[in-house]
Amino acid sequence: MAKRKNQKRRSKKYQVNNRQLKAKRMYKDTIFRMLYHDKENLLSLYNAVNGREYTDPEKLQVVTLENAIYMGMKNDLAFIMDMNLYLYEHQSTYNPNIPLRNLFYIADEYQRLVVRKSLYSTVIQKIPTPRFLVFYNGTKEVEDRSEFRLSSAYENPTENPDLELRVTMLNVNDGHSSDLMEHCRTLKEYAQYVARVRKYAAKQDVSLEEAVTRAVDECIEEGILAEFLLKNKTEVIKVSIYEYDKEFEEKKLRKAEYEAGRQDGIEIGRQDGIEIGRQDGIKIGRQDGIEIGRQDGIEIGKRILLEKIIKKKLKKGKSTEQIADELEEDINIIQKVVEKLKSQI
């Protein structure tokens, strides 16, 4: 028996070093990640995206680095198939910085894949080809398929950058990417479930927990992710509440950033404009004031909203560690805000 297991381990071309650095804290799962931790579901998604018809889930070699977190960033799923290394990530927030995030992650992944090989060898060390994919289901209107490039972030753009990383983003909201959805039932039903949660959560007279529970029960009755939801009902409700609440807080944060930036921009523009002169002041005030105000306002807005959120959670009796975990924020930052709030009491 032991001999057979050793042979199976040796059959894997790539092995990830298990001696990973310990993360400061674990991050919460998402429904997407829970759903596609199942290898059969993941293979179905892979087949739909790549136009394949594989039937053996064991051909997938999952290499997700569970504790790989950089500044609160993580990857949902990583696996090797057909000599390619796929990084799948789910996002409900539009984020053009995903190529840079994936750069950090893929470097960590490759480091573990070649840890037992010599990079000073005269023989080239082969590595699986990286493929980056984001499944987006946020509320911002986007194309069914779009692409982000690392070079878009370069301060000094060049036509042929020495380092490039492309990420394909697929819109997996209900009613989008129809061809992909038709070839992957779990993805289609996942989109339907998310749409159902958002629909009921938008009602003013319904609590978030009631909205999620209603969505789960209806989906089970209608055969939408029924097996998955029945098996994981309690955890799904808990995670869905967390996901939607996090999405709502992010929307409030972005709104606060915009408002703070707008107000500060107007005020700074007005002051500078008076100093320089009415005509020139209007022009310079609009340009410099709005830009300076936008940057300062964003930071002020973030800080004010973060303090409000932390204060609310402290009143609910939550610890500093719990708050840091729920907000996916560095615990040192949360600790400083908590100490500031306590000094004001």
Side-chain angles (χ1 to χ4, degrees), residues 219-236:
C219 284
I220 291 174
E221 290 176 8
E222 297 173 23
I224 299 171
L225 291 182
E227 184 179 345
F228 170 76
L229 294 176
L230 276 170
K231 183 179 178 181
N232 306 281
K233 184 173 181 179
T234 301
E235 184 67 12
V236 166

Side-chain angles (χ1 to χ4, degrees), residues 24 70 79 95 103 118 120 122 126 129-130 133 139 162 174 186 210 248-249 274 292 326 338:
K24 291 183 179 178
Y70 180 82
F79 62 94
N95 188 347
L103 177 64
S118 172
Y120 295 94
T122 56
K126 295 289 186 176
T129 305
L133 207 61
T139 55
D162 290 348
D174 191 26
T186 55
E210 290 173 332
F248 181 66
E249 294 292 351
I274 292 173
I292 296 170
E326 291 180 3
V338 171

Side-chain angles (χ1 to χ4, degrees), residues 303-304 307-308 311 314 336-345:
R303 188 168 63 250
I304 292 173
E307 289 178 2
K308 287 182 179 179
K311 189 174 182 180
L314 285 173
K336 288 180 181 179
V337 177
V338 171
E339 290 174 358
K340 178 183 175 183
L341 291 173
K342 286 181 178 179
S343 68
Q344 295 174 352
I345 298 176

Side-chain angles (χ1 to χ4, degrees), residues 256-266 268 287-303:
E257 290 171 356
Y258 172 79
E259 285 299 321
R262 189 177 69 86
Q263 292 298 328
D264 281 10
I266 291 172
I268 293 173
Q287 295 173 350
D288 293 350
I290 290 175
E291 179 58 29
I292 296 170
R294 187 179 69 84
Q295 296 296 332
D296 291 347
I298 286 173
E299 293 303 318
I300 293 170
K302 282 183 178 179
R303 188 168 63 250

